[in-house]
Amino acid sequence: DYAEQGRVDNVVVKGTSGTPAPVADFTGSPTSGTAPLTVNFTDQSTNNPTSWSWDFGDSNTSTAQNPSHEYTSAGTYTVSLTATNSGGSDTETKTDYISVTEPAPVADFTGNPTSGTAPLTVNFTDQSTNSPTSWSWDFGDSNTSTAQNPSHEYTSAGTYTVSLTATNSGGSDTETKTDYISVSSGGGQEVTIFSDDFSNGLGGWNTLGSPSLCDCSSEGLYDMVRMRRYDANTDEAIYRTISTSGYTSIKVSFDLTATGLNGDDNVQALWSADGGSTWTVMKQINAGDPETDWTFHHFEFTLPSGADNNANFALKFCVNNTDAADDYAEQGRVDNVVVKGTN
């Protein structure tokens, strides 16, 4: 009669696995910084994974449990870890987890040539590191440029300080080279750079010793008078800085005489390449020399190359006394000081 019937559906058998699948997790340190940035990753997955698969987001991977990875380029990186054991696997993805910024440039440059006669064209070459994307040049003569490797023409004689500021998304840096470019006036003619017959007194000159004992006569002669003070010996001198920037083959001429010298007393004419820290003798008159007749004698000297193109060039005329007499006898005179150079 077919009456006895039965139906069955949705048969499910459940149980607990002996090894649960991992739950993936991790940390990285640091998570931000400038390139190249090394990040140390630490696995924090649970349920004892036995293998690991890392994707660092920059096409690089690793199967280490706790890898270190270097990000070499600026950008934002998504990192994934898949942790696996016999019970299965799980993936943890951290979006935009690592942020790497570009390091600021370190500015540097060269110029070629760095000296010559006007007009002088100098080719500047950027040597900045860390990939700058923009450049700002100051050539020291009120002219500028934003080119990476500019050429610049200096039209006037002088000494110029050059600066470069290099910039990228990470910041900027400036390199300044003081007195980097030296330009002479050109022409090859000998010209007078400086002259003084002292007809207007001691304007521009400095004095050493007792200023009251260094004065100008109505003849336009500078009288250098040396006296021995009661408590100490004092040398009398005048000196000044005379820039020779833009000139070579420096010549110095002057009229010089002395009187009253005894023992090691002397009168000297000197020049300096460093503004007066050190001095080199051009002419020295000693006791008994013919020039102690109190009559002017003319002298002319061509100086070494250290006097060329020198903003710190200086001259000094002085009386040096070594005896113990308080007689005001040691005296020197100088007149008609002339400095010439070739442009």
Side-chain angles (χ1 to χ4, degrees):
D1 54 11
Y2 302 95
E4 298 81 3
Q5 299 184 39
R7 292 181 176 179
V8 64
D9 196 6
N10 300 320
V11 178
V12 177
V13 180
K14 294 184 176 181
T16 300
S17 169
T19 303
V23 177
D25 195 14
F26 65 89
T27 61
S29 180
T31 58
S32 63
T34 58
L37 178 68
T38 298
V39 180
N40 300 308
F41 291 98
T42 302
D43 169 46
Q44 293 189 332
S45 305
T46 58
N47 295 338
N48 301 314
T50 55
S51 64
W52 301 264
S53 178
W54 296 84
D55 185 333
F56 299 121
D58 62 352
S59 301
N60 289 284
T61 61
S62 176
T63 57
Q65 181 178 6
N66 300 303
S68 292
H69 179 63
E70 182 181 77
Y71 291 89
T72 59
S73 301
T76 303
Y77 300 94
T78 295
V79 182
S80 295
L81 167 63
T82 298
T84 301
N85 64 15
S86 60
S89 63
D90 183 51
T91 298
E92 171 68 7
T93 298
K94 296 189 178 183
T95 303
D96 297 338
Y97 186 56
I98 304 297
S99 178
V100 182
T101 56
E102 193 169 19
V106 177
D108 196 13
F109 65 89
T110 59
N112 186 48
T114 56
S115 63
T117 57
L120 178 68
T121 298
V122 180
N123 299 308
F124 291 97
T125 302
D126 168 47
Q127 293 190 330
S128 306
T129 57
N130 294 338
S131 303
T133 54
S134 65
W135 301 264
S136 178
W137 296 84
D138 185 332
F139 299 121
D141 62 351
S142 301
N143 289 285
T144 61
S145 176
T146 57
Q148 181 178 5
N149 300 304
S151 292
H152 178 63
E153 182 180 79
Y154 291 89
T155 59
S156 301
T159 302
Y160 299 95
T161 294
V162 181
S163 296
L164 167 64
T165 299
T167 303
N168 65 14
S169 61
S172 63
D173 183 53
T174 299
E175 170 70 6
T176 299
K177 297 189 177 184
T178 303
D179 297 338
Y180 187 55
I181 304 298
S182 179
V183 183
S184 60
S185 59
Q189 300 295 317
E190 185 177 76
V191 297
T192 297
I193 303 170
F194 169 83
S195 66
D196 197 343
D197 62 3
F198 302 106
S199 58
N200 294 316
L202 289 178
W205 292 85
N206 302 289
T207 60
L208 293 174
S210 301
S212 63
L213 300 178
C214 298
D215 57 14
C216 283
S217 74
S218 60
E219 307 160 82
L221 306 179
Y222 184 85
D223 295 352
M224 292 185 301
V225 181
R226 197 270 170 223
M227 64 166 286
R228 179 183 179 274
R229 293 180 176 176
Y230 291 104
D231 57 354
N233 289 338
T234 303
D235 299 328
E236 303 299 330
I238 59 169
Y239 68 96
R240 70 178 296 160
T241 299
I242 304 163
S243 174
T244 61
S245 295
Y247 298 92
T248 60
S249 302
I250 303 303
K251 295 180 180 178
V252 177
S253 63
F254 49 86
D255 298 331
L256 192 66
T257 188
T259 190
L261 303 181
N262 297 289
D264 293 331
D265 299 346
N266 59 73
V267 172
Q268 291 180 325
L270 310 97
W271 73 278
S272 174
D274 56 15
S277 295
T278 56
W279 295 96
T280 300
V281 176
M282 292 182 289
K283 175 62 183 178
Q284 178 169 309
I285 301 175
N286 300 305
D289 286 351
E291 296 88 358
T292 58
D293 59 2
W294 210 227
T295 300
F296 275 117
H297 299 264
H298 184 73
F299 300 96
E300 183 171 320
F301 299 90
T302 299
L303 302 186
S305 60
D308 297 346
N309 292 303
N310 192 328
N312 297 311
F313 177 80
L315 292 178
K316 181 168 77 171
F317 299 91
C318 66
V319 176
N320 303 305
N321 183 38
T322 60
D323 66 27
D326 296 318
D327 56 9
Y328 299 85
E330 299 81 5
Q331 298 184 41
R333 285 183 176 179
V334 62
D335 198 10
N336 299 319
V337 178
V338 178
V339 180
K340 293 184 177 182
T342 301
N343 60 19

